[in-house]
């Protein structure tokens, strides 16, 4: 089980445009990684749109947001275009990264991400872990916690 101040598990995943991303791409900046079950479902759309609507606030505090699910890149492309998602969505179809973060649910052949989030500090360490997330309220919760973590007034 992951803990605060532990190094965040590395990832190497493709985004909606088939570009490769890895944790080191976000070194020296704050990062929110949020895991979500499925593109184009009500709760996941609500969460993504709240993060989208707060994207300027995340940019103001120099924080990148990355969403990860077990959906493929094509599904992410459709979802991000349909909802005008300005941040990166990464495809983890095998669920390996989701499992490394303790965010994978498996039931026989069915697997999807649990709604978990992590704040990663500029050194690549886990600064905050969220195992219970309310889709409509989580974006504001992340912003408040980032301001505390970054010691912003």
């Amino acid at each position: 089980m992951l803990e605060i101040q532990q190094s965040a598990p590395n990832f190497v995943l493709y985004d909606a445009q088939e570009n490769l991303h890895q944790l080191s791409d976000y070194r020296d900046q704050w990062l929110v990684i949020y895991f979500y079950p499925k593109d184009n479902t009500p709760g996941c759309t609500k969460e993504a749109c709240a993060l989208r609507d707060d994207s300027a606030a995340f940019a103001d505090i120099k924080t990148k947001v990355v969403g990860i699910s077990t959906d493929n890149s094509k599904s992410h492309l459709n979802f991000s275009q349909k909802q005008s998602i300005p941040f990166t969505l990464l495809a983890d179809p095998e669920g390996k990264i989701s499992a490394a973060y303790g965010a994978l649910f498996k039931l026989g052949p069915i697997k999807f991400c649990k709604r978990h989030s992590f704040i990663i500090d500029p050194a690549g360490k886990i600064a905050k872990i969220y195992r219970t997330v309310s889709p409509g309220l989580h974006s504001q919760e992340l912003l408040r916690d980032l301001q505390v973590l970054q010691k912003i007034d």
Side-chain angles (χ1 to χ4, degrees), residues 11 49 61 81 84 107 114:
F11 59 82
C49 289
I61 58 172
Q81 288 176 339
S84 300
L107 184 61
K114 299 175 191 172

Side-chain angles (χ1 to χ4, degrees), residues 61-102:
I61 58 172
K62 297 174 179 41
T63 299
K64 297 283 187 187
V65 175
V66 170
I68 298 176
S69 82
T70 56
D71 292 316
N72 62 34
S73 294
K74 186 177 179 183
S75 176
H76 284 341
L77 182 61
N78 172 277
F79 182 51
S80 61
Q81 288 176 339
K82 184 176 177 182
Q83 301 300 334
S84 300
I85 304 297
F87 48 83
T88 301
L89 298 178
L90 297 176
D92 184 22
E94 294 178 13
K96 290 180 180 176
I97 303 308
S98 304
Y101 279 84

Side-chain angles (χ1 to χ4, degrees), residues 29-138:
Q29 56 192 317
W30 288 88
L31 174 65
V32 168
I33 300 175
Y34 84 98
F35 291 88
Y36 65 99
K38 188 138 186 68
D39 292 336
N40 293 304
T41 57
C44 297
T45 299
K46 187 175 196 175
E47 184 176 19
C49 289
L51 289 161
R52 173 201 66 203
D53 294 347
D54 289 334
S55 61
F58 284 102
D60 286 347
I61 58 172
K62 297 174 179 41
T63 299
K64 297 283 187 187
V65 175
V66 170
I68 298 176
S69 82
T70 56
D71 292 316
N72 62 34
S73 294
K74 186 177 179 183
S75 176
H76 284 341
L77 182 61
N78 172 277
F79 182 51
S80 61
Q81 288 176 339
K82 184 176 177 182
Q83 301 300 334
S84 300
I85 304 297
F87 48 83
T88 301
L89 298 178
L90 297 176
D92 184 22
E94 294 178 13
K96 290 180 180 176
I97 303 308
S98 304
Y101 279 84
L104 186 67
F105 177 81
K106 283 182 72 166
L107 184 61
I110 299 168
K111 64 178 172 265
F112 60 86
C113 294
K114 299 175 191 172
R115 200 178 304 281
H116 293 176
S117 296
F118 301 83
I119 295 176
I120 311 300
D121 72 16
K125 303 234 185 253
I126 298 170
K128 183 99 176 165
I129 299 171
Y130 304 84
R131 296 289 183 194
T132 304
V133 171
S134 174
L137 305 174
H138 191 48

Side-chain angles (χ1 to χ4, degrees), residues 30 119 127-128 130 144-152:
W30 288 88
I119 295 176
K128 183 99 176 165
Y130 304 84
R144 280 192 304 275
D145 290 345
L146 279 157
Q147 288 177 328
V148 169
L149 290 165
Q150 295 179 13
K151 296 168 182 52
I152 297 171

Side-chain angles (χ1 to χ4, degrees), residues 7 22-31 121-125:
S7 291
Q22 55 190 351
L23 183 62
S24 61
D25 295 341
Y26 301 93
R27 195 75 163 182
D28 299 325
Q29 56 192 317
W30 288 88
L31 174 65
D121 72 16
K125 303 234 185 253

